[in-house]
Amino acid sequence: MSTPEPPSAAAPASTTRRAFLAIIAAGLAVFVGLGVLAAKFPSTSTTAPSAAATTNTTSTTAVDQTARLAAIQQSAEQLRSVSLGHPVAVERIDRQQATSLIRRLIAAEAHARRTAATDDALHLLGALGADEHLQTLQTDGLAAQVAGLYDPATKKLYVVDGTAAQATDSTLLHEIVHALQDARYDLQREVLAPRPFDADGESAAQAVAEGDATEVQTRYLQSQGVAGAIGELGGALNQLSEVPADQRRLPPFLQRSLEFPYIRGAAFVTTLRARGGEAAVDRAFRDPPKSTLQVLIPERYLAGNRPPVAVTLPKPDARAQRVLSTTFGAADLLALGIDETVVRTWRGGKIALDRVGRRRILSMVVSTIRPADLARALRRTLPRQAQVRVGRAAVSVRIVG
């Protein structure tokens, strides 16, 4: 007889997502904003930043830093049309303290059984190498790169002291936007509340929060002009230069997963703001998109926040224990490297991992309007042992390892 699904089963890519809200922004979002600026000012894309161009990241005195943060918060409030009513609580920490904080945040989100199941699923999908483990990659990579973060649990903005690793103005602004979001929408209990059996919905909500902060950050960078953009780029490159080369690289699946809420989320929020102003963005926080497909195609969300097509996973084999069960969405297909034209045919999906002794069995079902195309893409992408079957309106995958 099969063992029922445990209530803690969760998604391959969902572990520590709420911690990522605060942490990843310090390292990635500045490059997203600068990428938009590069399109507006292409002539600056090959210009090497000078030392003078990075002066906005240089710390002098505590008074200077307080004034700097106050000015950045004022810009964030004006651009986001939200007033916090008081200065954001700030705590300055050193690199060692930042590393400890990140480890604590990731550990708080982790669950031993779920983390092991997540690793197994990612290995079977070919998303992680044999020697790679999700939690280690997260901890080591982020601890080396973080320059500042906002933690919804403590309601504090943590700024890492240092030289080149110090946060740029736009990075701090991004984190302050998260503080504004938290005050207005309660990120931890509402927007980013865990959805153990709906990782794709969780990713969609995260894309709203990160997309909003990145969109505001991009408008801030645009307001700074070319000189300001070069200064920000210099600060970002200085941050990156201090990170060991082996910690800058993530497996492609994880890299794409981390980029999605910033890049696609910013495009989603930009569309909402263009169509309905701040009211439309507020609505997305109150009623987040139900799938990452709606983030990818904002018109689907604007036409009505409809749930994905329900799919049914096969039951566990006899004597098997289901240790992972959740939704598998458009963002996950993109992270696997599936072409976006095929990803846009997604209509619903689920993934599960079962264990029988040391044997692991991954099952996945994806509803799509072009099953033959998706099946071909998955066969090219997944490991050779993956069994990919085509149905009338869905594709099923089984991988045993």
Side-chain angles (χ1 to χ4, degrees), residues 315-366:
K315 293 182 178 180
D317 293 348
R319 299 185 303 280
Q321 181 183 34
R322 180 147 291 177
V323 293
L324 186 76
S325 179
T326 192
T327 50
F328 192 86
D332 297 310
L333 291 175
L334 282 175
L336 285 174
I338 304 299
D339 186 84
E340 186 172 330
T341 58
V342 177
V343 171
R344 284 171 172 255
T345 71
W346 180 94
R347 292 297 176 267
K350 285 187 176 180
I351 189 170
L353 183 79
D354 303 329
R355 284 206 187 107
V356 184
R358 300 186 67 176
R359 189 164 165 251
R360 303 162 301 163
I361 305 166
L362 182 142
S363 302
M364 183 168 69
V365 178
V366 178

Side-chain angles (χ1 to χ4, degrees), residues 241-258:
S241 69
E242 290 196 343
V243 180
D246 61 337
Q247 294 180 6
R248 296 179 209 164
R249 294 188 297 270
L250 287 174
F253 179 91
L254 293 184
Q255 185 64 43
R256 297 183 193 115
S257 294
L258 296 181

Side-chain angles (χ1 to χ4, degrees), residues 106-125:
I106 291 178
E109 294 288 327
H111 179 285
R113 184 180 187 182
R114 187 164 61 230
T115 300
T118 296
D119 260 15
D120 284 346
L122 291 175
H123 284 122
L124 288 174
L125 287 169

